[in-house]
Amino acid sequence: MNNRRIFLKQALAAGTAIVAFPVDALESYYKKELIKITVLHTNDVHSHIEPFPANDPKFGGLGGTSRRAALIRKIRSEEKNVLLLDAGDVFQGTPYFNFFGGELEFKIMSEMQYDACTIGNHDFDNGIEGLVKMLPHANFPFICSNYDFSNTEMNNKTIQYKTFLYDGIKVGVFGLGVELEGLVPKKLFKETQYLDPVKQAAYQAHLLKKDLQCDLVICLSHLGFRYQNKKISDVELAKRSKNIDLIIGGHTHTLLNEPLLYKNSDGKEVIVAQVGWAGIRLGKIDFYFEPKSKRKFVEGTSLVIDKNVSNA
Amino acid sequence: MKQKIYFASILLFFFSLIFSCQPKYSKLVKSERAYVVINDSTTTSDVRFDSLIAPYKRIIDAEMNEVLIISETPMVKDQPEGLLGNMVADIVLKKTLEKLPINVQEEPIFCVLNNGGLRTSLPQGEITRRKIYELMPFENEIVVLTLSPENAQELMNYIARSGGVPVAGIKMGIQKNEAVNIFVNNNPFDKNKNYKIVTSDYLAEGGDKMFFFKNPINKEIVSLKIRDVLIEYMKEEHKKGNTLNAQKDGRIYIVENNEIEK
């Protein structure tokens, strides 16, 4: 289960000892002092409470919330600083939503101790009022920085950002939703105003990084990974952004085997992550900070929630 | 061991050189990424969650475990055409024509749905009511729109640009973002005729940016939910002793690949 060990073994096997030696030594040197922050993430779970049956043509035997809960509990027992996030589209996809409107989905996420969630287009599927009705079942905040809900029942039910403090390391999270026009029927999203995600991201990320001095800025996005046309996506946002370290994405159900790195407009690296859909994987990204200068390492993995043993 | 520390200090020296100019903020210095598959021992179910789910699951199982039909083959969505899309579009068109008898020679009619609306795959073997709910979880209703030849042409080109969507009653090629060799109900596309389109109310309202649906010449509400007609068809066929099947029949095919917008 030690990913670093697996990585090192692979590095040793593939590369030379000259490469592997200092990394190993550096690691043991750093591990004593570094503050580790583990970011766990899901997206587009779409009411998939139970695992896919074994005979599913694409995802046989994968997923399931009871297993995800067990996995998260195990990680929490091993890691001190865990941030658990969801990038939206909690709702719609199995009869659990048709029957109970999202009640069980939010109860389960609350029990798993999610720290925050953003709002996906399908979270409007029972209308604004359908979402509002379910909010009492969620004990975590909904972070969305580019939907203006002032003229809707959702007014004051979301926050624009949230900061978290772990052993002196400050983490800021903001959220972005996808354009609703042409995607969600107007009668469902009503007077929700969609604001330009690039502008809102610039504002929120600057606020979090510069004014609030966050060491790590995370964008929880339901924009989608990447498009063939010019539609704004996580990859586009990453390239055009400043002050964002990690974009946790959703909407396009993209299965990335590892988070990808892009250069932002300042030439700094932004991590873009997304873990498919339906809870078949749990994303895990480990950041290592040095307490004084707050340098950090990052480790990104994707954990498949599966029955079978194998290293893919 | 000494060697390791020696190497480490050299690296640390380099790192401190690189970052000495940025004392305040953290910087990404290393990215290690792996792909780990979790096995049974690390992902056994949390019994506390099983009991949280149980009362909800009982209610759902009671209604959703019903077997509707046996499928001969697994069905997934695909482009330019896929088994799943063909099967759904065929059933929706058939069931609509049962409800609204139309002389297709006089009033050409075809069905257009969207890939995004097909939410899961179907396995080979037993198809339960649950699976059809997962395939079509939305409460979408069938509508029949009458489009002008211009709007119908725009729809064809939309289908071409998208690389293919679930259709029935139409056959076309895709050549660099354009629809070519179009046949509707086995007749060549006629630029002087109106066309009837069987689709979902979601798309008819301009969903998936099908904005050309917004001002049709006529709009008929069939008062049938897509999910309901799928379930009804499967039960009927099952009763007759039939199984579920689908073929790729070249209803949409690639002549020349689309160019990707940069």
Side-chain angles (χ1 to χ4, degrees), chain A residues 89-213:
Chain A
D89 275 8
V90 173
F91 288 175
Q92 188 77 281
T94 70
Y96 284 97
F97 181 71
N98 303 83
F99 277 51
F100 309 112
E103 178 183 319
L104 185 57
E105 289 84 328
F106 281 172
K107 278 185 177 173
I108 285 174
M109 288 173 73
S110 301
E111 283 294 311
M112 288 177 181
Q113 296 172 278
Y114 268 79
D115 291 291
C117 178
T118 194
I119 295 174
N121 49 303
H122 284 294
D123 298 321
F124 291 92
D125 278 5
N126 277 350
I128 287 263
E129 57 280 14
L131 178 56
V132 171
K133 207 173 141 192
M134 289 300 136
L135 294 180
H137 299 293
N139 67 4
F140 48 88
F142 289 83
I143 303 181
C144 188
S145 323
N146 73 323
Y147 289 154
D148 178 354
F149 287 115
S150 355
N151 291 330
T152 73
E153 286 178 59
M154 277 295 280
N155 189 27
N156 293 327
K157 309 260 188 217
T158 60
I159 52 175
Q160 303 229 353
Y161 66 84
K162 187 170 178 180
T163 61
F164 302 84
L165 200 61
Y166 299 98
D167 291 337
I169 303 292
K170 201 172 187 182
V171 181
V173 180
F174 71 97
L176 296 175
V178 67
E179 184 167 18
L180 299 171
E181 177 76 38
L183 188 64
V184 178
K186 171 89 173 147
K187 65 178 182 208
L188 298 180
F189 69 83
K190 292 187 173 160
E191 294 305 312
T192 306
Q193 301 296 316
Y194 166 80
L195 309 175
D196 180 359
V198 179
K199 276 188 197 161
Q200 295 304 314
Y203 176 81
Q204 295 295 338
H206 187 274
L207 175 77
L208 290 168
K209 194 82 147 206
K210 304 293 181 192
D211 300 341
L212 300 174
Q213 306 222 334

Side-chain angles (χ1 to χ4, degrees), chain B residues 128-223:
Chain B
T128 57
R129 186 180 281 269
R130 175 193 301 258
K131 267 296 146 199
I132 302 307
Y133 264 76
E134 291 178 8
L135 172 64
M136 183 54 65
F138 315 113
E139 306 302 320
N140 289 342
E141 292 200 1
I142 296 171
V143 296
V144 179
L145 306 176
T146 307
L147 293 192
S148 66
E150 293 76 27
N151 274 348
Q153 178 72 56
E154 213 182 311
L155 166 61
M156 311 287 187
N157 286 337
Y158 172 97
I159 295 171
R161 277 198 310 279
S162 70
V165 301
V167 295
I170 182 172
K171 187 176 163 95
M172 60 178 267
I174 298 176
Q175 185 167 29
K176 284 189 169 183
N177 296 314
E178 292 205 357
V180 295
N181 305 329
I182 306 162
F183 287 82
V184 178
N185 311 135
N186 296 320
N187 299 317
F189 181 67
D190 185 339
K191 282 183 179 168
N192 301 308
K193 266 188 176 165
N194 292 336
Y195 283 85
K196 282 185 182 288
I197 321 293
V198 179
T199 190
S200 71
D201 54 352
Y202 168 76
L203 296 177
E205 292 300 322
D208 258 14
K209 303 205 181 283
M210 295 205 186
F211 297 126
F212 38 78
F213 278 164
K214 275 209 155 174
N215 295 302
I217 292 166
N218 187 34
K219 179 174 172 177
E220 289 167 85
I221 311 287
V222 191
S223 293

Side-chain angles (χ1 to χ4, degrees), chain A residues 66 103 111 183 281 294, chain B residues 26 35 48 50 56 202 261:
Chain A
S66 284
E103 178 183 319
E111 283 294 311
L183 188 64
R281 291 183 185 180
K294 291 172 183 171
Chain B
S26 52
Y35 186 99
R48 206 162 49 86
D50 286 340
Y56 296 87
Y202 168 76
E261 279 180 59

Side-chain angles (χ1 to χ4, degrees), chain A residues 50 66-67 70 98 103 107 111 182-183 209 213 215 228 257 259 269 281 294 298-300 302 310, chain B residues 24-26 28-30 32-38 43-44 46 48 50 56-57 137 139 202 208 261:
Chain A
E50 296 176 55
S66 284
R67 284 166 166 182
N98 303 83
E103 178 183 319
K107 278 185 177 173
E111 283 294 311
L183 188 64
K209 194 82 147 206
Q213 306 222 334
D215 299 290
Q228 291 186 346
N257 283 346
E269 273 177 349
R281 291 183 185 180
K294 291 172 183 171
V298 60
E299 228 179 26
S302 174
S310 67
Chain B
K24 200 164 142 198
Y25 287 107
S26 52
L28 188 67
V29 293
K30 197 172 86 171
E32 270 186 8
R33 287 158 293 164
Y35 186 99
V36 183
V37 180
I38 299 303
T43 54
T44 46
D46 185 321
R48 206 162 49 86
D50 286 340
Y56 296 87
K57 181 170 158 58
E139 306 302 320
Y202 168 76
D208 258 14
E261 279 180 59

